[in-house]
Amino acid sequence: MASKITANMAGCWFDSASGIYTGEAVIDEAIARGFDPQTECPEAGWADYEYYHELWTEAEEFLGSLAPDGYCIGSNENGDFGMWAVCKSCGEYTEEPQDDCEFCRAG
Ligand SMILES: [Zn+2]
């Protein structure tokens, strides 16, 4: 059973300094929460896997499916990976989860 991700986990999980290796942390985090990569981790690490980027995306989507209402999981504009508050209407990143935002209201 997947372990729950709660709102108090919002913020940066893996900073952008990890670069291409952020995916390895993302994949490991997803596996720890019940994601099945359907393959063995290569000896040199996930970044060595032929379909690394596809797996990274799948892992990210898996984590995203566990995010509480009003949050998304992914990379922000700085390239930091984590869980971020979003506007529930348009998905724009916001300071706090909210039902609509300046973009919605402007649009
Ligand atoms: Zn909005």
Side-chain angles (χ1 to χ4, degrees):
M1 199 182 132
S3 54
K4 217 164 150 49
I5 295 176
T6 51
N8 62 10
M9 291 178 65
C12 178
W13 294 2
F14 313 117
D15 78 38
S16 60
S18 309
I20 189 74
Y21 297 105
T22 300
E24 296 199 330
V26 171
I27 292 165
D28 285 341
E29 181 70 29
I31 290 171
R33 293 181 181 280
F35 175 68
D36 179 6
Q38 298 183 337
T39 184
E40 294 289 310
C41 181
E43 223 166 284
W46 285 117
D48 206 38
Y49 178 50
E50 188 179 359
Y51 301 108
Y52 175 53
H53 287 276
E54 286 82 352
L55 189 62
W56 178 348
T57 303
E58 278 178 38
E60 196 168 310
E61 286 170 0
F62 177 86
L63 289 171
S65 73
L66 302 178
D69 196 32
Y71 291 89
C72 77
I73 290 176
S75 298
N76 69 4
E77 60 195 6
N78 301 320
D80 293 335
F81 187 92
M83 186 167 88
W84 315 103
V86 290
C87 166
K88 292 180 193 174
S89 301
C90 70
E92 197 68 42
Y93 286 25
T94 53
E95 291 292 315
E96 296 287 333
Q98 52 195 62
D99 293 330
D100 62 6
C101 67
E102 55 188 290
F103 296 100
C104 294
R105 288 190 286 267

